[in-house]
């Protein structure tokens, strides 16, 4: 009996030793199987805020086995645009630079924020974390900018205002102008937050201007995006190092729309409504202001100067 037990223990030790010795090879084999399975079978869940159109800089994809940097950008965009909180993909063994490209993107928060500008505000992230290992597994963890409760409240307000502000028989420009004017007339620029970092209102998202009456550029832009979605107009957010505003596609042409700069802060405190930044082209935009509106035209190339 004792001899049998000793033999059994020796066999177990040999098995454990073999498994330990070939651990990396077994992991590689496991990941290889996962990669092949993913290539053939992986689909992505899309929520109701998914945008089913593409842009010059990023496009939706159903191929999650990347072969280039652009493929990686498209996977990140698709995961965010689809409303996922977590998504995993695997770098192919033949794409030897894949993990280096993933690491570069994961450490480039500025570039990730630009990708974020192309998705519906409700699917946009407040924080994104990328984890990866040496064998090619890449996991994306996304924390959304809006809570479910905020989305419910804002959506109800947008629905109410759409009934009032969107007139089916009017042109898109007339409807956009009414929405633009309403948001500005019913909001105050939150100087305490922008100038002194005093957070009293949720002015950096659509909740601030639509439900609290206070906004900064992020809030104005998100609020306008929600109405553009109601109108079925293709759009995205465009940002510089200091500012964010809307890009709007009308009649086969892209235009700039900046509610923040059309709601200037006055020394008297008087509420002013302007239309200097209402659906203008890039040449006009940069002829008016070149500090906060100087944007990366390779990312937002739909609005590249001719």
């Amino acid at each position: 009996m004792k001899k049998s037990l000793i033999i059994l223990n020796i066999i177990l030790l040999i098995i454990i030793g073999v498994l330990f010795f070939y651990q990396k090879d077994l992991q590689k084999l496991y990941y290889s199987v996962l990669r092949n399975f993913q290539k053939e079978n992986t689909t992505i869940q899309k929520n109701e805020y998914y945008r089913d159109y593409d842009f010059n800089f990023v496009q939706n994809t159903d191929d999650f086995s990347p072969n280039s940097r652009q493929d990686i950008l498209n996977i990140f965009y698709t995961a965010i645009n689809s409303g996922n909180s977590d998504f995993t993909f695997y770098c192919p063994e033949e794409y030897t630079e894949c993990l280096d490209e993933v690491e570069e993107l994961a450490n480039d928060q500025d570039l990730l924020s630009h990708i974020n500008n192309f998705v519906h505000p409700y699917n946009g992230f407040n924080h994104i974390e990328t984890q990866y290992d040496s064998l090619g597994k890449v996991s994306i963890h996304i924390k959304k900018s809006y809570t479910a409760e905020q989305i419910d409240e804002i959506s109800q307000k947008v629905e109410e205002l759409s009934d009032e502000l969107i007139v089916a028989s009017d042109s898109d420009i007339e409807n956009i102008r009414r929405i633009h004017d309403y948001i500005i007339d019913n909001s105050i620029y939150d100087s305490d937050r922008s100038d002194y970092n005093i957070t009293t209102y949720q002015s950096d998202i659509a909740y601030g201007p639509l439900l609290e009456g206070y906004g900064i550029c992020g809030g104005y832009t998100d609020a306008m995006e929600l109405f553009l979605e109601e109108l079925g107009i293709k759009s995205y957010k465009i940002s510089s190092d200091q500012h964010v505003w809307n890009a709007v596609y009308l009649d086969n042409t892209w235009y700039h729309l900046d509610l923040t700069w059309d709601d200037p802060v006055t020394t008297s405190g008087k509420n002013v409504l302007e239309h200097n930044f209402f659906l203008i082209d890039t040449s006009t935009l940069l002829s008016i202001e070149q500090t906060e509106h100087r944007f990366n035209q390779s990312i937002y190339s739909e609005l590249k100067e001719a």
Side-chain angles (χ1 to χ4, degrees):
M1 183 70 179
K2 288 183 178 181
K3 187 176 180 180
S4 298
L5 187 60
I6 291 171
I7 293 172
L8 179 61
N9 286 334
I10 290 173
I11 292 171
L12 287 173
L13 287 172
I14 292 171
I15 293 172
I16 292 170
V18 169
L19 290 174
F20 181 80
F21 184 79
Y22 289 104
Q23 180 181 13
K24 288 189 176 181
D25 290 332
L26 290 170
Q27 284 180 322
K28 286 182 179 179
L29 177 61
Y30 174 66
Y31 276 13
S32 179
V33 171
L34 284 177
R35 288 188 192 99
N36 291 331
F37 178 81
Q38 182 195 51
K39 194 167 185 178
E40 299 297 328
N41 299 283
T42 298
T43 57
I44 194 165
Q45 296 297 314
K46 303 168 185 175
N47 69 8
E48 61 185 298
Y49 308 116
Y50 169 80
R51 287 178 166 175
D52 62 353
Y53 43 79
D54 300 328
F55 302 98
N56 293 348
F57 188 68
V58 283
Q59 302 86 44
N60 289 295
T61 184
D62 56 6
D63 184 352
F64 303 107
S65 182
N67 291 298
S68 67
R69 180 178 183 273
Q70 185 62 53
D71 288 346
I72 295 172
L73 293 178
N74 291 344
I75 290 172
F76 270 75
Y77 168 64
T78 302
I80 301 165
N81 182 42
S82 300
N84 285 258
S85 296
D86 296 280
F87 187 72
T88 297
F89 67 95
Y90 298 86
C91 285
E93 289 181 284
E94 59 271 19
Y95 180 15
T96 55
E97 302 89 1
C98 183
L99 283 179
D100 291 335
E101 299 280 13
V102 167
E103 182 178 15
E104 181 183 345
L105 178 58
N107 292 327
D108 192 343
Q109 290 298 313
D110 184 58
L111 181 55
L112 287 168
S113 71
H114 286 303
I115 294 174
N116 200 38
N117 284 342
F118 291 98
V119 310
H120 189 293
Y122 291 162
N123 280 344
F125 64 79
N126 182 47
H127 177 74
I128 185 168
E129 180 182 346
T130 307
Q131 297 176 332
Y132 48 90
D133 61 29
S134 60
L135 295 174
K137 180 181 179 181
V138 182
S139 298
I140 308 169
H141 308 282
I142 301 164
K143 182 180 179 183
K144 304 289 186 62
S145 297
Y146 290 82
T147 66
E149 292 76 14
Q150 289 171 334
I151 290 174
D152 286 343
E153 288 187 67
I154 297 168
S155 296
Q156 183 177 345
K157 185 67 174 179
V158 169
E159 185 177 348
E160 292 172 5
L161 291 174
S162 293
D163 291 340
E164 173 189 341
L165 300 173
I166 297 176
V167 179
S169 59
D170 282 351
S171 68
D172 286 334
I173 292 177
E174 290 172 317
N175 283 319
I176 293 172
R177 183 184 294 271
R178 255 193 307 274
I179 295 162
H180 166 278
D181 293 357
Y182 173 88
I183 294 172
I184 291 174
D185 283 340
N186 291 274
S187 301
I188 299 171
Y189 186 76
D190 190 358
S191 298
D192 283 347
R193 182 162 189 160
S194 65
D195 298 346
Y196 306 108
N197 203 29
I198 300 172
T199 304
T200 306
Y201 307 101
Q202 298 175 71
S203 53
D204 60 328
I205 60 173
Y207 195 96
L210 294 180
L211 292 165
E212 298 174 318
Y214 286 86
I216 57 175
C217 58
Y220 283 114
T221 305
D222 272 15
M224 191 70 230
E225 280 289 292
L226 296 178
F227 285 102
L228 292 169
E229 286 288 322
E230 286 291 307
L231 288 164
I233 294 173
K234 190 174 183 178
S235 65
Y236 58 73
K237 297 185 291 185
I238 179 171
S239 61
S240 64
D241 291 338
Q242 305 173 45
H243 189 43
V244 58
W245 62 100
N246 302 95
V248 184
Y249 190 60
L250 289 172
D251 299 324
N252 299 315
T253 304
W254 283 92
Y255 297 98
H256 299 271
L257 176 63
D258 191 341
L259 278 69
T260 308
W261 276 67
D262 277 344
D263 188 14
V265 177
T266 61
T267 55
S268 65
K270 183 180 178 181
N271 191 25
V272 176
L273 168 63
E274 296 181 344
H275 295 90
N276 296 326
F277 294 84
F278 182 81
L279 298 177
I280 58 176
D281 61 25
T282 297
S283 296
T284 304
L285 174 78
L286 297 179
S287 71
I288 299 172
E289 202 284 322
Q290 295 191 28
T291 302
E292 294 191 14
H293 290 94
R294 179 132 332 246
F295 64 97
N296 189 326
Q297 295 189 26
S298 65
I299 292 176
Y300 306 106
S301 58
E302 288 87 355
L303 287 140
K304 187 175 181 179
E305 283 184 286

